[in-house]
Amino acid sequence: LSSWRRRGAARAASGERSRSAIEMAAEVAGGGGVHQFGSICLASTGSAPQGTFKLETKGFIWRKQGGGKTIEVSSSEIRDAFWSRSGREFILTVKKNDGSQISFVGFRERDLEELRSRFDSGVRVLELSADGRNWGDLEIVDKQLVFESEGKKCFEVAMKDI
């Protein structure tokens, strides 16, 4: 507690104005500022590293926990965003203008509205097929191999991983 007081006193002495929680909340609610989601995994082949997903006015940044890999995508690079349920967690899949896509796992259901308010293209809900069927249609969409059964996506694999 005393370290917080020392920081506050140092800020006051330097003339720096600290923002109240209400001001910061208003900035986030107004579309400005940063909104952060913790414990979000980068969905990739192999192990899924955990990190922090930050929404900013200019796009988003995902940083691996403990340092290392960082993914930064500007708003102008985003073509589409999709929201899917996977068990108890939710997945945000971002399709970029170059045809590539990035998926993030670990969101909560209540996070959808904040994400929708920040993506210019909106976030569309995509229902995944989870009934265990092993027949369907296989198609290449952008840079992804997509398997669908009865009009619902079952899974997709990046062509570079095949």
Side-chain angles (χ1 to χ4, degrees), residues 2 30 58 77 85 87 101 106 127-128 137 142 144 150:
S2 62
K58 62 182 191 243
E77 294 178 82
R85 181 183 196 109
Q101 73 179 31
E127 188 176 340
L128 299 176
D137 300 315
D142 293 325
Q144 309 295 322
E150 295 186 356

Side-chain angles (χ1 to χ4, degrees), residues 37-85:
F37 303 90
S39 301
I40 302 297
C41 296
L42 174 64
S44 60
T45 57
S47 67
Q50 194 172 42
T52 303
F53 186 91
K54 291 182 182 180
L55 280 173
E56 299 181 339
T57 54
K58 62 182 191 243
F60 68 84
I61 297 173
W62 178 86
R63 282 196 177 92
K64 183 179 175 187
Q65 192 173 25
K69 188 169 190 162
T70 299
I71 296 173
E72 189 168 348
V73 178
S74 71
S75 298
S76 63
E77 294 178 82
I78 299 170
R79 183 177 66 193
D80 278 320
F82 298 96
W83 179 262
S84 307
R85 181 183 196 109

